[in-house]
Amino acid sequence: MHIIHKLSLIALSAAIITSCTTKETTFSDPLAANRDTTVNPSGDFFLYANGGWFKKHPIPDSESSNGIFRTIQDTINAQIKSICEKSAKNIKAAKGSNEQKIGSFYASGMDTIAIEKAGLTPLADPLKRIDAITNVSSLMTTIGYLHTLGTNPAFAFGVNQDDKISTKYALVFYQGGLGMGNRDYYFNTDKETVTIRAEYVKYIEKLAQLSGSATAAQDAATIMQLETDLAKASRKLEALRDPIKNYNKMSVAQVSVATPNINWQQVLPSLGIAKADTLIVGQPEFFVALNNMVKSYPVESWKKYLKFNLINHNASYLNSSIANENFHFFATVMSGVAKQKPRWKKVVSQTNSALGELIGEVYVKDYLPKGSKEKLMEIGKNINAVYADHIKKLDWMSEATRKKALLKLSKIIMKVGYPDKWKDMSSVNIGNSYCANVLEADKWKYNYMVSKFGKTVDRTEWSMTPQTYNAYYNPSNNEIVVPACNILVPGFEGRMPDDAILYGIIGGSVFGHEITHGFDDQGSQYDENGNLNNWWTAEDLSRFTEKTKRIVAQFNTFEALPGKFVNGDATQGENIADLGGVVMGLEAFKKTEQYKAGKKISGLTPSQRYFLGYAYAWMVNIKNESLAQQIMTDVHAPAKYRINGPVANMPEFYKAFNVKPGDKMYQPDSLRVVIW
Ligand SMILES: [Zn+2]
């Protein structure tokens, strides 16, 4: 995925995008203005391209980063806020209507008096269920029930497409249950991680106190020990990249033999699954460890863990003493964010996350610039076309594999803009309690997911809303999904950016990137129909693997913070996708009139504008704490290396910015790599 974890400029409301020729004199050009011309592009291209903007826009105390994502998100937030407020003000909205749901949800989040008064009561039912656990059997079925509320205690569970039969859904059980998310937080010995661990224990203790425990310190030690044991049995981030090793289809009987303390005939119904013959177990050794832990830890310890897990998951929607502790640990300690965002921003974001489907319907009607979908599609088609040309010319690939690669490319489904049909949320009841509303939406999401089990896969489904500034490739559907708001380019409100920018940001970093995911270290293992199925000859596969190893080696050398290097293995899929993206974006741009005419804009040649446009896509400045977190938990390399890494493999970049041997950005021929 393209995700990173993204001014209020002029509101974009219904701005009409028309094609127009850019006139140098009539507008300020962000590409020129964002640069830091005191930095040499051949030394640090990322900083040259974006450093001027960073100087003028320091990271606010309430944010972990600042840049293009936040700028665009601010615009989107203002639009969603307006949808929420308008809905909340309409007291005539019929009960159960989309407008009532959006309005009531937003209003409940803004009603801090009611939230304070409610305390933990919105969680009374699940807390009672946890209290009633008496043995391993009721422990496991309660864990199942807690999953139906959208929480993930002890393990992760989902109804996903079967990696080997992409037309069918499967029950997928995965490692999970860690409050800090990534196993490495429990073991790394660097100073920052040691501090985070100590702060985490304090945080657990605070939450235990605030929820009425008389033995909070002891609870915290127990919970930390239990999570550490789960972490011990968990695979590392890079080990989760192998789709074959993390696909272990077992009959329920086989799983039961491997984990005799867990009664799967009871667990599955508690998860809302009436009947199943097989499960896909991502990491069998994790479930063996869990099987041992449900016996080795007393039930009372598990109850403490489950309470913490539940309250922690919902902390942001509870009273301020709990919400503030949650903010302190997850935002301040882990990401370096000192100050909370204004309440409306948090509630807008939560309303959008809970009822994004309903908001999307309004968003597309009220705010999407006309012609967005068509323009996006046009760029996508052009990228796809140059991709085919490239595959036809690849010198390292045999005809047999080439044929298959072209077939897969030709079958990529492009979903662009917004879905043709919206998901039915009519059964969702939204009332006055914020936390209860969040739970209601989470339950709906869970039930929606579980209801797919046993049905044929619906390939028209979208997993992102149109107002999400992001995109994804789903290997099981061999599809890319590009939500509408990818058309937004800050600094070009109401007018069309020149093609260099469009092909840099949207062509390269969205379409080119997502299509390449179909051909990265993971995606390349799926065939044209979305099944895990090797379509490579042995020789081509070994040549491909040799090239990916060189990408891994390049990224392993990037020291993001003193002593903290980018994880080349864990980020290789994204880095392969970035490289493919920037190469294809340029190829498609070369076919445009702007490139052919060769005219300068703001003193910049078309090629220079293309690379600056690409760097604009990753104009992100990030706090050190958040950067350290990203390196440990994210399969995306930090923004700086997503620019400097790929472009250093391209002769066109060297030519555009006069990069010479001896320059910091210079990679000798022997180390450069282009895969697609
Ligand atoms: Zn990606």
Side-chain angles (χ1 to χ4, degrees), residues 1-3 513-514 517 574 577 636 642:
M1 288 208 205
H2 159 82
I3 301 182
H513 175 98
E514 298 305 339
H517 272 315
E574 296 301 330
H636 301 82
R642 297 189 71 168

Side-chain angles (χ1 to χ4, degrees), residues 60-113:
D61 284 348
S62 60
E63 302 289 338
S64 59
S65 66
N66 201 5
I68 188 167
F69 286 83
R70 201 180 83 82
T71 304
I72 290 177
Q73 194 59 54
D74 276 353
T75 303
I76 298 169
N77 280 345
Q79 294 163 338
I80 299 176
K81 185 189 185 203
S82 152
I83 294 172
C84 288
E85 285 181 339
K86 233 161 82 190
S87 305
K89 272 185 204 136
N90 184 7
I91 44 169
K92 285 191 196 138
K95 173 92 183 124
S97 65
N98 291 354
E99 200 176 15
Q100 179 268 320
K101 284 172 189 166
I102 296 169
S104 299
F105 195 107
Y106 181 73
S108 73
M110 295 305 288
D111 188 353
T112 49
I113 295 170

Side-chain angles (χ1 to χ4, degrees), residues 10-28:
I10 310 146
L12 269 159
S13 57
I16 294 172
I17 291 198
T18 50
S19 79
C20 65
T21 41
T22 31
K23 284 204 191 93
E24 204 173 336
T25 45
T26 55
F27 74 101
S28 70

Side-chain angles (χ1 to χ4, degrees), residues 299-347:
V299 159
E300 289 310 313
S301 302
W302 277 103
K303 287 159 83 166
K304 291 182 183 13
Y305 163 79
L306 293 180
K307 263 187 201 173
F308 166 69
N309 185 282
L310 174 74
I311 296 169
N312 177 41
H313 183 88
N314 293 292
S316 311
Y317 330 117
L318 294 167
N319 58 54
S320 58
S321 49
I322 289 177
N324 290 344
E325 290 300 337
N326 180 270
F327 174 83
H328 174 74
F329 178 71
F330 285 101
T332 308
V333 173
M334 285 186 105
S335 310
V337 180
K339 224 176 96 192
Q340 301 211 31
K341 290 183 175 76
R343 180 138 197 109
W344 73 262
K345 263 195 187 176
K346 292 189 279 184
V347 180

Side-chain angles (χ1 to χ4, degrees), residues 623-675:
K623 285 184 178 155
N624 284 348
E625 292 87 344
S626 195
L627 182 56
Q629 184 179 31
Q630 189 184 353
I631 292 166
M632 206 189 291
T633 60
D634 198 337
V635 295
H636 301 82
K640 173 173 173 167
Y641 306 105
R642 297 189 71 168
I643 302 305
N644 290 354
V647 300
N649 291 301
M650 297 172 70
E652 291 96 337
F653 169 72
Y654 291 155
K655 205 172 145 214
F657 290 97
N658 198 24
V659 183
K660 296 242 149 44
D663 291 338
K664 219 171 150 225
M665 289 286 297
Y666 187 85
Q667 290 264 23
D669 251 344
S670 59
L671 295 181
R672 281 183 223 166
V673 51
V674 166
I675 304 181

